[in-house]
Amino acid sequence: MTVTDVLLCVFGAVTLAAAVRVVTTAHLVRAGLWLVVALGGLAACFLVLTAELVAWVQVLIYVGAVVVLLLFAVMLTRAPIGAHDRMDRRRWPAALVGAAAGAGLAAVLIEAFRWRWVDMAEVEPGGAERMGAEVFGSWVLPFELLSVLLLSALIGAIVISVRRRAEAEPDG
């Protein structure tokens, strides 16, 4: 076992544990903070695999923007942060749906790769220039749609917050 394998196992275990905490914690803000740990662990895995560009995009976009947007949306809408009686649902249906989705994803991955080893001599090396050409060439429309979606979510949170504040304030 090499140092790379050990680091991948360690960061993978941290990422998996944090991801489990994201979906099992009852507090929304704590779930957001565990999401930061999970996404940071995934970025560390990318760094170990020498995919520096993907790692820093992971940190900047997901940790820096999406989690901050989530926390701002929670604060602006004044949603219940802790455990709430209305939010308590039965866990067995959710576990069943999650297990079915996981099994479906595993079947798709097994079918796609058919358990074959990739010969690294056949793989063309990539870099920041090639990645940028792909993202801003053939993937520019989904990239822009995602930015519009995030912007509309933030605007929606602000509108909901203003309406609730206006309803809460007495006329006078």
Side-chain angles (χ1 to χ4, degrees), residues 32-99:
L33 295 175
W34 280 114
L35 184 62
V36 168
V37 173
L39 294 173
L42 190 59
C45 288
F46 285 134
L47 278 177
V48 170
L49 293 172
T50 66
E52 293 88 6
L53 178 70
V54 179
W56 294 120
V57 166
Q58 173 86 16
V59 169
L60 290 174
I61 301 291
Y62 289 108
V63 176
V66 173
V67 174
V68 170
L69 181 69
L70 170 81
L71 293 176
F72 272 128
V74 167
M75 287 186 279
L76 284 173
T77 59
R78 296 181 185 170
I81 293 173
H84 199 272
D85 293 337
R86 291 187 330 181
M87 302 298 274
D88 194 21
R89 306 266 190 234
R90 287 179 255 154
R91 293 179 186 224
W92 287 109
L96 185 64
V97 169

Side-chain angles (χ1 to χ4, degrees), residues 98-165:
L105 181 61
V108 167
L109 287 174
I110 290 169
E111 179 63 27
F113 292 105
R114 296 189 187 270
W115 295 108
R116 62 187 167 130
W117 292 97
V118 176
D119 185 14
M120 293 307 289
E122 297 175 6
V123 177
E124 292 182 37
E129 183 178 343
R130 186 172 172 199
M131 179 73 76
E134 284 293 321
V135 167
F136 295 111
S138 57
W139 289 94
V140 71
L141 184 62
F143 187 79
E144 290 299 323
L145 286 176
L146 181 63
S147 66
V148 170
L149 177 70
L150 291 173
L151 178 65
S152 63
L154 184 60
I155 291 171
I158 291 170
V159 167
I160 291 171
S161 173
V162 168
R163 284 185 187 163
R164 285 190 180 172
R165 185 174 294 153

